[in-house]
Amino acid sequence: MQSNHPLIFSAKDVEIKFNLRGKTLTAVRGASLDLYEGETLALVGESGCGKSVFTKSFIGMLDKNGYISRGKINYRGEDLTMYGSEEEWLKVRGKKIAMIFQDPMTSLNPVRTIGEQITEVITWHFGIGYEEARKEAIELLKRVGISDTEKRYRQYPHEFSGGMRQRVVIAAAIACQPEILICDEPTTALDVTVQAQILDLIKELQKELKMTVIYITHDLGVVANVADWVAVMYAGQIVEHGTVREIFNESVHPYTKALLKSLPQLGTKGRDLFSIQGAPPNLFKEIKGDAFAPRNPDAMEIDFEEEPPVFQVSDTHYAKTWLLHPYAKEHRENIKQLEDMSNRVMNGEYIPFNYEKAEKLLEVKNLSVSFKLAKKKFKAVDNVSFDIYKGETLSLVGESGSGKTTIGRALLRIYSNIDGEILYKGESIRGNIGKKRNRNLRMEMQMIFQDPMASLNERAKVDYIISEGLYNYHLFEDEEDRIQRVEGMMREVSLSKDLTSRFPHEFSGGQRQRIGIARSLIMNPDFVVADEPISALDVSIRAQVINLLNKFKRERFLTYLFIAHDLSVVRFISDRIAVINRGRLVELAECEELFRHPLHPYTRALLSAVPYPDPDVEREKELLVYDNSMHNYSRDKPFWSEITPGHFILANQFELEMYREDLENYNDAP
C-alpha cells in the first residue's frame, strides 16, 4: 500500500503458530500490512480468521502457547519479533502501541476504582507523583466525555454503563499518548447510538493526538465510517487490501465480494439474503490452494491446487486471488455476466402483511413490569400496549436497558410481577391459569436467546439439548420417533445429523445459534420471542440465521417478536417495528412507513446512528442525539395515539400537531 503520510509500522509475511494439545495450529499464515502516520486501517473478516492474534503480536500479547514462527514486525525501524523479555515489550506496549479490547469488563479490575486504574497507568509509564497523575486521569476522563469526573473517578466499573466503561478503557489506552491505537471490536456489544458516539470520540482523539488507528471489526458499516485503508483477512491471510472506496466499490476477491453481498442493508426484502455457505478451513491442517475455494461456487481448478500470489490491481489495491491472472480473464467475464443477470432476476418479491384479514394472536394492554433494586421500586416497562398478529414479525427496537427483553419475558410468563393484561388467542395468560393451560403455553410459546453459549447446556450433547422439550412433554412415541424428529429438525436448520454426539463448544457461533433455534422449534410453537439472536454473529453467519428465521416463518406460519438494536437487520426481517425508550413505547408503524416517515426524535436518532456500508453515504450523514429533556410534559402529558392508520406515537397534544405537520410536509415533498 502507498500513502502520502510517512510509514511508521510494517508487518511482513508474519506467521503465528500455537501448540495446542500436542498439535500445531497456524493461526496467521504469512500476513502483511503497513500503517501510515495519522491514518486508519480496518482489519475485517469472520471470527477465527486471525485478526486479533495478528494484532496482539504487535504488542507481545500472544498466549503462552503462541509464537511468531516467521516474518518481521518493524516499528520505527526496529524489529519487534526480536524482543524476548517483558521489559523490552513494556517500552512499546501502552506507551507506543496501545490496545482497546472488545469487552471493557475484561480490561478493568472490578475491585478497584476506575480512577485508580487510570492513575496507575500514568505513574507506571511516566514515573510521576500520585497527585499529578490523579489530575491527569481526571482530565483524561473529561476528554473522553465523562461528566462529573471528580465523583466518577471514585466509582467502580460496575457503576458505569457499557458505553461509559468503553470510554474509561479508551481513557486508559490514550493515557500514554500512543502513536498506534489498536481497537479490537470496540463497539460490537454497544447500541447503535452509543457506537456512533464512541466512533466519533476515537476519531476526535486520533486527530488531536495524531494517532494511527487499527480497527478490528466484522461490521462493514463501521469500516465505511472510520477507515482510510481496509485489509480483508481470511484463514490467517490478508486476501485483499486497498483504500476504503476501492474495497467497497471495486473489490475483486470472491470472499470480499461475498461479505459485502451478505449485508442486510444491500439485500432485497422478500428475497433470501446472500450467505456464504460452508465453514472456514481447519487451521490445524495444511491448506492446499486458495483457502476460500471450498466455499466459492465460482472456484477454478487451480484454486484447489495452488495458493494464489498477490496481484496488484492499482497502486493502492492488491488481492490474493487467481481471478486476477491474465489466463482467468474469460472466467472473470462469465462471473460478471452471471452477477449482472442475478441482479436483474428477482427470485421473490416482498408482499406486505395483510393486517385487514389478520387474526390477533397476542394483545398487550397497559403492561407494566417493576423490580425492586436496593429497596427501591424500579419500573422497567411502563404502560405499554400493542398487538401481535398471527404470522407477522413485530420487531422491538431500542437501546440496552430500554425494556425490550423484559417485555419478551413477560409475554412468556417468566416474570409474574406485572400489571396490565396479556391476552393470547383471546384468553388472559396473566397470573394463575392452571397447570394444563400453563403446560400448553410452554409448548406454544418459545424463546431464542441472544447468547447460545450461555443458554445451551455445555455438558450436554446436541442430541439431548434438542430433545429436552420432547422429553419434558413426552412428545414422541418411542426412541426411533425421537431420533427421527431430532434429525429432521437438524436438517431443517442445515446441520448434519452426524453432529448429534458433539458438545456446544465444538461448534461455531452460527452453528450454536442454529442449535438454539432447533431446540425452540422442535416444540412446533406458534409464537417465538427472538431476543437479539444475531447480534453477536459475523455478517455472513448473520445472513444464514436471518434466512433461516424467514424460512420457518413462511413454512410454519410462525409469529415472531424480534428483539434487536440493529435497525438494518430489523428492516429486512420485520412487518412492523415498535420503538421503545426507557420502558415506554414511543412509536410503532409498518416497517417501510417507519423508515420513510420517522416522527419521534428518539426514532430519528436511532436511524441516524445506523452504520451504512458506503463510505460516501456514511461520512456525509448527520448523527442526531436524543435528549429526553427536549419534551415538555409538565402540564401537557403524553398519550399513545394513532396519528395515521397503523402509525402510533407517544406524544402530547402540542407534539401531535407538530408531527401531523411533518407528515404533511413529507407527503407534499416531490
Side-chain angles (χ1 to χ4, degrees), residues 103-123:
D103 182 1
M105 280 307 274
T106 61
S107 306
L108 297 171
N109 187 332
V111 297
R112 298 186 66 198
T113 66
I114 59 102
E116 287 175 336
Q117 295 183 58
I118 298 172
T119 301
E120 184 181 52
V121 172
I122 298 167
T123 54

Side-chain angles (χ1 to χ4, degrees), residues 370-379:
S370 299
F371 299 98
K372 273 191 177 179
L373 293 172
K375 297 183 181 179
K376 291 182 180 179
K377 194 175 182 183
F378 168 69
K379 194 171 272 191

Side-chain angles (χ1 to χ4, degrees), residues 48-90:
C49 71
K51 305 187 298 292
S52 295
V53 169
F54 187 32
T55 50
K56 280 181 180 178
S57 72
F58 302 167
I59 52 173
M61 285 191 69
L62 290 177
D63 184 89
K64 63 180 180 180
N65 296 315
Y67 58 96
I68 298 170
S69 53
R70 192 181 76 221
K72 292 187 177 183
I73 299 173
N74 288 306
Y75 169 65
R76 294 290 186 191
E78 198 165 347
D79 185 1
L80 303 185
T81 61
M82 303 306 291
Y83 282 9
S85 68
E86 188 70 5
E87 285 182 4
E88 287 178 298
W89 278 114
L90 286 173

